[in-house]
Amino acid sequence: EVQLVESGGGLVQPGRSLKLSCLASGFTFSNYGMNWIRQAPGKGLEWVASISSSSSYIYYADTVKGRFTISRDNAKNTLYLQMTSLRSEDTALYYCARAVYYYSDYWGQGVMVTVSS
Amino acid sequence: DIQMTQSPASLSASLEEIVTITCQASQDIGNWLAWYQQKPGKSPQLLIYDATSLADGVPSRFSGSRSGTQYSLKISRLQVEDIGSYYCQQAHSNPFTFGSGTKLEIK
């Protein structure tokens, strides 16, 4: 069974940093690209970043480019999202998802990030 | 960037009714389109990929179609478990934008 478990969220002040993790199981992690998608409270889905299976290809939404870094450790079956210079508009539920092409076929339960002073 | 214009924003329909949601792409994306369902309080679930292909385990009452740059999701006979929000997403080019969503309720 495919499982994706996000962690690392919480309350953080504007301008500070936070690192999210997503532990994958139930599939060969190193064979799949991965996505981060977020959802602000009461709002729709926003694609954030994607990384290919070997980290050769990485893409970011313009809203996070230069502030967020997606990475992965295939030996640890873990996906990361390093978030810096956080803003109030980054407040959202962050989902990691397994990618098939750039679709997301399995999603985690999400981890909440709240940026507030 | 490719814009995905989704309509309607909300929809109220009766059980067993046919429901259609559409997404208009701002440029050609071929068949690089997915539909997701998000039930209240849950994570999204992939319904349709490549515009018309049904994801594993998805009931056959869901179907996708394409006409040029307009994409449609059809629920042939609405069931109570279909309530929630629906989103399209283009996977043609970065940034991989989502539509704004459609909230589906039972009348």
Side-chain angles (χ1 to χ4, degrees):
Chain A
E1 178 194 5
V2 172
Q3 287 197 324
L4 299 166
V5 180
E6 301 95 336
S7 61
L11 174 63
V12 61
Q13 294 179 326
R16 303 298 290 258
S17 300
L18 202 61
K19 188 173 186 176
L20 305 183
S21 299
C22 172
L23 179 62
S25 61
F27 66 102
T28 304
F29 181 69
S30 58
N31 285 351
Y32 287 85
M34 297 293 294
N35 298 324
W36 285 102
I37 297 115
R38 68 185 181 183
Q39 187 170 34
K43 302 296 185 183
L45 300 173
E46 180 187 13
W47 170 78
V48 173
S50 296
I51 186 168
S52 63
S53 57
S54 61
S55 305
S56 298
Y57 300 97
I58 289 175
Y59 302 106
Y60 297 99
D62 288 344
T63 52
V64 307
K65 198 176 297 181
R67 300 187 300 121
F68 288 13
T69 302
I70 187 173
S71 63
R72 63 190 296 159
D73 185 335
N74 286 345
K76 294 183 178 179
N77 288 350
T78 303
L79 174 72
Y80 302 102
L81 187 68
Q82 175 70 56
M83 304 183 293
T84 64
S85 303
L86 282 162
R87 307 166 179 167
S88 58
E89 53 265 37
D90 296 318
T91 294
L93 187 63
Y94 284 74
Y95 294 103
C96 76
R98 190 178 80 168
V100 176
Y101 298 104
Y102 294 102
Y103 307 124
S104 297
D105 66 344
Y106 286 92
W107 298 60
Q109 83 288 351
V111 61
M112 190 67 202
V113 173
T114 303
V115 183
S116 175
S117 54
Chain B
D1 295 0
I2 296 172
Q3 310 302 317
M4 302 301 298
T5 303
Q6 185 171 342
S7 62
S10 63
L11 179 56
S12 181
S14 302
L15 293 175
E16 303 291 325
E17 188 174 333
I18 297 173
V19 169
T20 302
I21 299 167
T22 63
C23 267
Q24 179 71 49
S26 61
Q27 62 190 74
D28 180 26
I29 60 169
N31 286 329
W32 294 102
L33 184 107
W35 290 96
Y36 300 90
Q37 175 194 59
Q38 187 176 30
K39 296 182 180 181
K42 300 295 186 182
S43 301
Q45 174 191 358
L46 178 66
L47 293 177
I48 302 283
Y49 63 96
D50 291 349
T52 61
S53 297
L54 203 62
D56 289 346
V58 175
S60 58
R61 64 180 179 274
F62 291 92
S63 63
S65 63
R66 170 195 174 190
S67 176
T69 57
Q70 181 163 290
Y71 300 81
S72 298
L73 172 70
K74 186 173 86 169
I75 308 173
S76 60
R77 295 173 63 182
L78 186 65
Q79 304 296 303
V80 65
E81 59 265 31
D82 299 334
I83 63 166
S85 294
Y86 291 80
Y87 297 90
C88 64
Q89 183 203 12
Q90 64 86 13
H92 179 270
S93 55
N94 173 40
F96 304 106
T97 40
F98 285 89
S100 54
T102 296
K103 187 173 183 179
L104 176 60
E105 299 175 332
I106 302 294
K107 193 181 294 182

